[in-house]
Amino acid sequence: DNVVKMQTIVAQNFVERVVLLENTTGDMCSNCPAGHDYIEKAIKEAGEDKFIWMAHHAGYNAGKYTSNQSDTIASLFYNTQMTYAPGLMINRTNLLSVGVTTSGTPGGPIFSVNEVASRGLLADYFRLMQSEMSPIALDVQHTYDAETRNLSVTVKGDILAEVPNRERLAVGIALLEDNLEGSQAGVAGKYMHNHVCRDGLVSILGQLVGGENTFEFTSSKVLKSTFKPEDVTIVVWVGNKPSKINECDNYKIYQAYKVKLVK
């Protein structure tokens, strides 16, 4: 049987929040390896199971792993605020809105990884953003046919408490790839690129799912022939999508989820 079926039900009533970290990086960026190390260390300190790391090779000196999804992130969040990498967003939330400021943090969601981490603040930021409970519970199912390489993902959600602009709730489904061995500026020899956003089943900005107390959304796609299924991770998130996509301070992700494509 070439078809893999999996299901995960994430919580009941209020649920623990899983936080989406979106790292803007690039294999031509000599400062980025230090940023990767900082993020990995901070995730371990704050609790690895509480975070999902998505790496966007996009923007300034991105290199060869850029995807359309990551280019969208760069054009909306990154290039408008910063001209260097590595950068980081936490749930696409403007940290100024939750009382966090640093000398290197611009007035939007993205901040400089190395500037914050060098001051010992990155794990604190992670804990702060993870400390809230999520008002949305997710049930995610996927099927993958190894012969046709067709992937189908169904996302069901229960809204457990009031969320602002419920009619603007959106679901995102991205595909990450690990174990991409290649060059990396600032590192001698080969470098292993992980968590790389390589594709998506919907726009990286999300698909609107309506304003009811529950929602269900299904999307399908044929996996690219260059992808190794065992190295692919499906990432699902649900959050707010502003009516004007350039209002980058009005995005907020409420819940995220990840699962390996195959085990």
XYZ file of all heavy atoms in Angstrom, residues 49-120:
543
model
N 9.372 21.189 21.478
C 8.060 20.765 20.997
C 7.078 21.922 20.878
O 5.971 21.751 20.364
C 7.491 19.691 21.921
C 7.319 20.179 23.353
O 8.107 21.039 23.790
O 6.391 19.694 24.042
N 7.464 23.095 21.334
C 6.561 24.239 21.352
C 6.748 25.169 20.165
O 6.076 26.191 20.066
C 6.747 25.029 22.647
C 6.480 24.210 23.911
C 6.787 25.017 25.150
C 6.554 24.190 26.422
N 6.899 24.953 27.641
N 7.683 24.833 19.275
C 8.026 25.743 18.195
C 8.170 25.003 16.870
O 8.595 23.856 16.834
C 9.334 26.479 18.507
C 9.272 27.297 19.760
C 9.642 26.744 20.981
C 8.815 28.599 19.729
C 9.566 27.483 22.142
C 8.732 29.352 20.892
C 9.107 28.794 22.093
N 7.837 25.715 15.786
C 8.068 25.241 14.430
C 8.940 26.276 13.741
O 8.625 27.465 13.734
C 6.745 25.069 13.661
C 5.883 23.990 14.325
C 7.008 24.720 12.198
C 4.484 23.895 13.756
N 10.022 25.813 13.144
C 11.004 26.690 12.502
C 10.874 26.552 10.989
O 11.059 25.476 10.441
C 12.393 26.301 12.993
C 13.549 27.086 12.446
C 13.521 28.077 11.509
C 14.922 26.915 12.819
N 14.797 28.545 11.279
C 15.668 27.851 12.065
C 15.601 26.061 13.707
C 17.052 27.945 12.184
C 16.966 26.164 13.810
C 17.682 27.102 13.070
N 10.544 27.659 10.325
C 10.469 27.713 8.871
C 11.517 28.706 8.371
O 11.511 29.864 8.788
C 9.071 28.147 8.411
C 8.891 28.153 6.899
S 7.311 28.896 6.364
C 6.141 27.869 7.239
N 12.405 28.258 7.506
C 13.472 29.105 6.995
C 13.114 29.599 5.594
O 12.872 28.799 4.692
C 14.793 28.347 6.972
N 13.089 30.922 5.430
C 12.813 31.532 4.131
C 14.119 32.017 3.520
O 14.729 32.975 4.002
C 11.862 32.722 4.290
C 10.495 32.368 4.729
N 9.629 31.610 3.955
C 9.810 32.650 5.875
C 8.477 31.463 4.586
N 8.568 32.077 5.755
N 14.557 31.350 2.465
C 15.717 31.807 1.715
C 15.209 32.852 0.723
O 14.784 32.527 -0.389
C 16.386 30.639 0.995
C 17.167 29.747 1.900
N 18.506 29.501 1.728
C 16.801 29.055 3.014
C 18.947 28.686 2.682
N 17.921 28.395 3.463
N 15.247 34.097 1.139
C 14.630 35.148 0.331
C 15.221 36.494 0.699
O 15.899 36.637 1.714
C 13.121 35.163 0.571
N 14.949 37.481 -0.161
C 15.439 38.816 0.106
C 16.893 38.970 -0.282
O 17.382 38.339 -1.221
N 17.608 39.757 0.452
C 18.995 40.116 0.136
C 19.910 38.896 0.200
O 19.964 38.192 1.206
C 19.455 41.180 1.136
C 20.883 41.628 0.971
C 21.256 42.413 -0.108
C 21.842 41.279 1.906
C 22.558 42.842 -0.256
C 23.154 41.703 1.763
C 23.504 42.487 0.675
O 24.794 42.904 0.533
N 20.633 38.610 -0.898
C 21.584 37.499 -0.953
C 20.973 36.168 -0.531
O 21.517 35.446 0.293
C 22.808 37.803 -0.080
C 23.824 38.667 -0.806
O 23.660 38.945 -1.995
N 24.846 39.098 -0.108
N 19.832 35.837 -1.104
C 19.118 34.630 -0.678
C 19.831 33.354 -1.106
O 19.923 32.406 -0.347
C 17.698 34.635 -1.231
N 20.292 33.271 -2.351
C 20.900 32.035 -2.826
C 19.915 31.166 -3.577
O 18.849 31.600 -3.996
N 20.241 29.877 -3.712
C 19.522 29.010 -4.656
C 18.259 28.357 -4.101
O 17.527 27.721 -4.857
C 20.455 27.924 -5.172
C 20.896 26.908 -4.126
C 21.810 25.864 -4.772
C 22.247 24.803 -3.780
N 23.129 23.799 -4.399
N 17.982 28.474 -2.811
C 16.833 27.774 -2.244
C 15.585 28.652 -2.128
O 14.633 28.297 -1.443
C 17.185 27.193 -0.873
C 18.265 26.142 -0.939
C 19.452 26.280 -0.215
C 18.122 25.016 -1.741
C 20.452 25.319 -0.289
C 19.111 24.056 -1.824
C 20.280 24.217 -1.095
O 21.260 23.264 -1.174
N 15.580 29.788 -2.798
C 14.420 30.673 -2.758
C 13.205 29.995 -3.400
O 13.323 29.339 -4.425
C 14.723 31.981 -3.505
O 15.782 32.661 -2.836
C 13.516 32.882 -3.551
N 12.033 30.171 -2.768
C 10.768 29.685 -3.315
C 9.833 30.876 -3.514
O 10.063 31.963 -2.976
C 10.123 28.681 -2.361
O 9.751 29.325 -1.147
N 8.769 30.660 -4.286
C 7.785 31.724 -4.472
C 7.188 32.151 -3.143
O 6.918 33.334 -2.906
C 6.672 31.256 -5.418
C 7.152 31.080 -6.840
O 8.144 31.686 -7.255
N 6.457 30.250 -7.603
N 6.946 31.170 -2.262
C 6.374 31.484 -0.956
C 7.307 32.399 -0.160
O 6.875 33.374 0.454
C 6.107 30.185 -0.176
C 4.925 29.382 -0.685
C 5.224 28.680 -2.006
O 6.383 28.432 -2.338
N 4.196 28.362 -2.758
N 8.597 32.064 -0.174
C 9.546 32.868 0.580
C 9.762 34.235 -0.051
O 9.976 35.227 0.657
C 10.873 32.114 0.713
O 10.701 30.962 1.514
N 9.705 34.313 -1.369
C 9.800 35.615 -2.024
C 8.660 36.528 -1.584
O 8.837 37.740 -1.411
C 9.753 35.441 -3.542
C 11.086 35.003 -4.122
O 12.113 35.167 -3.430
O 11.102 34.483 -5.248
N 7.465 35.944 -1.406
C 6.323 36.728 -0.934
C 6.581 37.267 0.465
O 6.313 38.439 0.756
C 5.045 35.877 -0.947
O 4.764 35.472 -2.283
C 3.857 36.660 -0.401
N 7.100 36.411 1.336
C 7.421 36.844 2.692
C 8.444 37.974 2.659
O 8.319 38.987 3.365
C 7.955 35.663 3.523
C 6.825 34.687 3.841
C 8.632 36.139 4.810
C 5.759 35.231 4.775
N 9.461 37.826 1.819
C 10.508 38.845 1.749
C 9.956 40.179 1.265
O 10.267 41.229 1.827
C 11.625 38.376 0.833
N 9.124 40.145 0.235
C 8.610 41.390 -0.328
C 7.673 42.097 0.640
O 7.614 43.332 0.658
C 7.889 41.122 -1.650
O 6.749 40.307 -1.447
N 6.939 41.340 1.449
C 5.980 41.950 2.359
C 6.621 42.366 3.677
O 6.456 43.499 4.135
C 4.831 40.978 2.641
C 3.765 41.465 3.630
C 3.104 42.741 3.111
C 2.718 40.391 3.850
N 7.353 41.448 4.304
C 7.851 41.702 5.652
C 9.308 42.142 5.695
O 9.691 42.952 6.522
C 7.721 40.431 6.508
C 6.306 40.018 6.787
C 5.735 38.978 6.079
C 5.544 40.659 7.746
C 4.436 38.573 6.338
C 4.249 40.264 8.005
C 3.686 39.223 7.299
N 10.127 41.578 4.825
C 11.579 41.679 5.015
C 12.176 42.922 4.383
O 12.742 43.770 5.057
C 12.242 40.422 4.453
C 13.738 40.370 4.597
C 14.327 40.075 5.826
C 14.570 40.614 3.509
C 15.708 40.021 5.955
C 15.945 40.561 3.634
C 16.506 40.263 4.853
O 17.867 40.219 4.982
N 12.049 43.056 3.089
C 12.729 44.147 2.404
C 12.196 45.513 2.793
O 12.879 46.522 2.634
C 12.616 43.973 0.889
C 13.484 42.839 0.384
O 14.445 42.460 1.023
N 13.126 42.285 -0.763
N 10.976 45.563 3.293
C 10.415 46.849 3.706
C 10.985 47.310 5.042
O 10.831 48.464 5.409
C 8.888 46.749 3.845
O 8.573 45.727 4.799
C 8.244 46.426 2.513
N 11.640 46.413 5.776
C 12.074 46.759 7.131
C 13.572 46.603 7.346
O 14.159 47.311 8.150
C 11.350 45.880 8.159
C 9.841 46.039 8.118
C 9.178 45.075 9.064
O 9.447 45.118 10.253
N 8.333 44.214 8.549
N 14.194 45.657 6.681
C 15.597 45.360 6.935
C 16.315 45.108 5.617
O 15.704 44.718 4.633
C 15.730 44.115 7.824
C 15.052 44.251 9.177
S 15.147 42.717 10.129
C 16.910 42.678 10.457
N 17.605 45.312 5.615
C 18.384 45.062 4.406
C 19.463 44.025 4.658
O 20.399 43.909 3.886
C 19.039 46.356 3.915
O 19.864 46.894 4.959
C 18.003 47.380 3.501
N 19.347 43.293 5.736
C 20.347 42.280 6.052
C 19.683 41.071 6.695
O 18.570 41.140 7.185
C 21.421 42.850 6.994
C 20.877 43.409 8.288
C 20.766 42.616 9.427
C 20.458 44.728 8.381
C 20.263 43.110 10.602
C 19.952 45.235 9.565
C 19.855 44.430 10.675
O 19.351 44.938 11.840
N 20.395 39.966 6.687
C 19.930 38.737 7.322
C 20.970 38.362 8.387
O 22.091 38.866 8.368
C 19.794 37.633 6.281
N 20.605 37.476 9.320
C 19.325 36.774 9.415
C 18.279 37.584 10.171
O 18.576 38.257 11.151
C 19.693 35.518 10.209
C 20.802 35.980 11.116
C 21.583 36.984 10.313
N 17.047 37.483 9.695
C 15.918 38.090 10.388
C 14.995 37.005 10.917
O 15.116 35.831 10.553
N 14.056 37.397 11.770
C 13.149 36.422 12.373
C 11.814 37.073 12.680
O 11.754 38.222 13.144
C 13.754 35.859 13.665
C 13.005 34.705 14.340
C 13.029 33.458 13.458
C 13.624 34.390 15.693
N 10.739 36.327 12.420
C 9.404 36.687 12.887
C 8.917 35.601 13.833
O 9.206 34.415 13.637
C 8.416 36.799 11.731
C 8.611 37.984 10.840
S 7.228 38.215 9.673
C 7.408 36.767 8.628
N 8.160 35.995 14.846
C 7.537 35.058 15.775
C 6.031 35.224 15.650
O 5.480 36.250 16.062
C 7.987 35.301 17.229
C 9.517 35.343 17.326
C 7.410 34.232 18.155
C 10.021 35.672 18.727
N 5.380 34.244 15.050
C 3.927 34.310 14.824
C 3.510 35.559 14.052
O 2.389 36.032 14.193
C 3.156 34.226 16.148
C 2.945 32.804 16.601
O 3.134 31.862 15.839
N 2.570 32.631 17.857
N 4.434 36.137 13.277
C 4.159 37.333 12.471
C 3.620 38.470 13.336
O 2.837 39.319 12.860
C 3.212 37.023 11.313
C 3.794 36.014 10.354
C 2.924 35.748 9.135
N 3.505 34.661 8.343
C 2.917 34.090 7.314
N 1.724 34.483 6.917
N 3.513 33.110 6.650
N 4.030 38.501 14.583
C 3.541 39.497 15.530
C 4.563 40.612 15.702
O 5.754 40.349 15.891
C 3.258 38.839 16.896
O 2.234 37.852 16.734
C 2.798 39.866 17.919
N 4.099 41.838 15.639
C 4.954 42.974 15.934
C 5.302 42.935 17.421
O 4.440 43.101 18.285
C 4.223 44.271 15.587
C 5.097 45.497 15.749
O 6.146 45.455 16.396
N 4.657 46.594 15.162
N 6.565 42.718 17.736
C 6.962 42.601 19.136
C 6.712 43.881 19.917
O 6.545 43.840 21.139
C 8.436 42.203 19.234
C 8.776 40.811 18.689
C 10.268 40.540 18.837
C 7.979 39.738 19.384
N 6.688 45.020 19.236
C 6.381 46.261 19.937
C 4.983 46.213 20.555
O 4.727 46.832 21.592
C 6.487 47.442 18.974
C 7.864 47.698 18.352
C 7.794 48.854 17.359
C 8.899 47.992 19.417
N 4.081 45.461 19.930
C 2.705 45.388 20.421
C 2.581 44.561 21.687
O 1.560 44.624 22.378
C 1.788 44.809 19.340
O 2.060 43.424 19.130
N 3.611 43.761 21.989
C 3.582 42.964 23.230
C 4.656 43.436 24.196
O 5.053 42.716 25.104
C 3.740 41.452 22.932
C 2.537 40.934 22.170
C 5.024 41.160 22.156
N 5.127 44.663 23.996
C 6.011 45.280 24.966
C 7.476 44.962 24.832
O 8.249 45.177 25.775
N 7.909 44.437 23.658
C 9.312 44.095 23.470
C 9.964 45.134 22.567
O 9.476 45.407 21.477
C 9.467 42.699 22.849
C 10.918 42.405 22.518
C 8.925 41.639 23.790
N 11.052 45.727 23.016
C 11.801 46.659 22.186
C 13.290 46.385 22.322
O 13.766 45.983 23.380
C 11.540 48.124 22.593
O 11.922 48.319 23.952
C 10.084 48.501 22.409
N 14.013 46.569 21.247
C 15.466 46.529 21.293
C 15.985 47.587 20.334
O 15.252 48.091 19.486
C 16.046 45.163 20.865
O 16.017 45.080 19.441
C 15.300 44.003 21.463
N 17.250 47.901 20.460
C 17.819 48.952 19.613
C 17.786 48.568 18.146
O 17.793 49.430 17.284
C 19.263 49.234 20.042
O 20.061 48.063 19.905
N 17.754 47.282 17.848
C 17.797 46.841 16.464
C 16.473 46.372 15.921
O 16.417 45.829 14.830
N 15.384 46.546 16.666
C 14.075 46.064 16.223
C 13.318 47.172 15.523
O 13.022 48.193 16.134
C 13.247 45.562 17.419
O 13.951 44.518 18.060
C 11.893 45.060 16.957
N 13.016 47.033 14.239
C 12.208 48.041 13.550
C 10.754 47.939 13.975
O 10.383 47.090 14.783
C 12.401 47.680 12.077
C 12.663 46.214 12.092
C 13.400 45.923 13.372
N 9.915 48.780 13.390
C 8.536 48.850 13.849
C 7.609 47.835 13.235
O 6.438 48.108 13.026
N 8.083 46.664 12.937
C 7.237 45.637 12.367
C 7.582 44.279 12.922
O 8.336 44.159 13.888
N 7.069 43.205 12.337
C 7.264 41.858 12.903
C 8.696 41.342 12.861
O 9.095 40.567 13.719
C 6.352 40.981 12.047
C 5.349 41.919 11.460
C 6.089 43.196 11.247
N 9.488 41.723 11.852
C 10.825 41.142 11.713
C 11.839 41.877 12.579
O 11.809 43.098 12.687
C 11.269 41.143 10.236
C 10.666 39.947 9.511
C 12.768 41.125 10.088
C 11.255 39.651 8.163
N 12.726 41.102 13.205
C 13.832 41.696 13.951
C 15.114 40.961 13.599
O 15.102 39.884 13.012
C 13.578 41.665 15.458
C 13.397 40.285 16.029
C 14.482 39.529 16.464
C 12.125 39.731 16.151
C 14.312 38.256 16.996
C 11.950 38.458 16.680
C 13.048 37.721 17.105
N 16.237 41.527 13.988
C 17.544 40.941 13.713
C 17.846 39.842 14.712
O 17.912 40.088 15.919
C 18.626 42.023 13.796
O 19.907 41.443 13.856
N 18.025 38.615 14.227
C 18.317 37.483 15.111
C 19.586 37.746 15.913
O 19.604 37.625 17.150
C 18.479 36.179 14.305
C 18.905 35.035 15.236
C 17.196 35.824 13.593
N 20.664 38.083 15.232
C 21.954 38.175 15.899
C 22.017 39.330 16.883
O 22.649 39.224 17.940
C 23.073 38.295 14.862
C 23.226 37.025 14.042
O 22.513 36.047 14.243
N 24.150 37.029 13.105
N 21.327 40.432 16.565
C 21.335 41.568 17.481
C 20.634 41.216 18.786
O 21.110 41.526 19.874
C 20.677 42.780 16.809
C 20.795 44.088 17.586
C 19.715 44.278 18.625
O 18.646 43.668 18.491
O 19.949 45.032 19.592
N 19.482 40.548 18.672
C 18.718 40.170 19.868
C 19.419 39.048 20.626
O 19.559 39.086 21.851
C 17.284 39.763 19.467
C 16.566 39.113 20.635
C 16.514 40.972 18.968
N 19.885 38.026 19.894
C 20.481 36.870 20.548
C 21.785 37.227 21.253
O 22.095 36.664 22.319
C 20.730 35.764 19.529
N 22.554 38.155 20.687
C 23.810 38.540 21.323
C 23.582 39.203 22.671
O 24.487 39.247 23.509
C 24.597 39.482 20.409
O 23.901 40.702 20.231
N 22.372 39.682 22.895
C 22.021 40.280 24.185
C 21.341 39.272 25.116
O 20.862 39.640 26.192
C 21.095 41.478 23.953
C 21.744 42.568 23.105
C 20.764 43.658 22.748
N 20.257 44.337 23.935
C 19.239 45.181 23.911
N 18.605 45.429 22.771
N 18.835 45.772 25.022
N 21.256 38.010 24.684
C 20.687 36.966 25.517
C 19.181 37.012 25.648
O 18.626 36.483 26.622
